Amino acid sequence: MAQTTMTVRTDAQLKATFDSLCKQFGMSANTAMNIFMRAVAETRSIPFTISVKETSTERFNRLMEENRQAHLNEPEMTLEEINAEIAECRAERKNKTV
């Protein structure tokens, strides 16, 4: 099979860490990159999960929307009901601290 050269730009510290780990694995960085490329070519996918973590704001917004959807058909509470629920929660909290 014909060989070719590939140039990759990366952070110097990342490269040093990668080279060090590859050495501990008993292979060169070149061998590790070839293993990675073969895995991608054979599976036609990246051989590990790539995901984006949800930010705390995104999570909050998602949970708020889920909560809103879950309670969409519930009737609105009156001011008296809201105040009664607050009073009940305060009483429970007071009983727990005593």
Side-chain angles (χ1 to χ4, degrees):
M1 198 180 311
Q3 297 285 306
T4 188
T5 301
M6 183 171 87
T7 302
V8 178
R9 292 196 181 276
T10 190
D11 177 77
Q13 184 59 47
L14 176 61
K15 168 107 172 48
T17 302
F18 184 71
D19 287 340
S20 175
L21 288 167
C22 287
K23 187 175 182 178
Q24 291 175 39
F25 301 150
M27 67 177 79
S28 66
N30 187 62
T31 299
M33 289 304 297
N34 277 299
I35 290 170
F36 172 75
M37 288 188 291
R38 275 200 180 90
V40 169
E42 288 176 10
T43 64
R44 301 185 62 79
S45 65
I46 302 296
F48 46 83
T49 302
I50 298 175
S51 63
V52 177
K53 283 193 172 181
E54 192 175 47
T55 66
S56 58
T57 301
E58 290 169 335
R59 184 170 190 272
F60 174 80
N61 289 338
R62 179 180 53 80
L63 292 172
M64 288 297 291
E65 179 60 21
E66 287 173 5
N67 187 53
R68 188 182 77 76
Q69 289 295 326
H71 298 93
L72 201 56
N73 295 324
E74 291 182 10
E76 293 290 323
M77 292 176 72
T78 65
L79 184 56
E80 290 78 23
E81 290 170 326
I82 293 169
N83 286 331
E85 193 169 300
I86 292 170
E88 184 181 329
C89 289
R90 286 180 176 165
E92 285 179 20
R93 188 173 28 185
K94 188 175 182 180
N95 288 336
K96 286 181 182 178
T97 59
V98 173

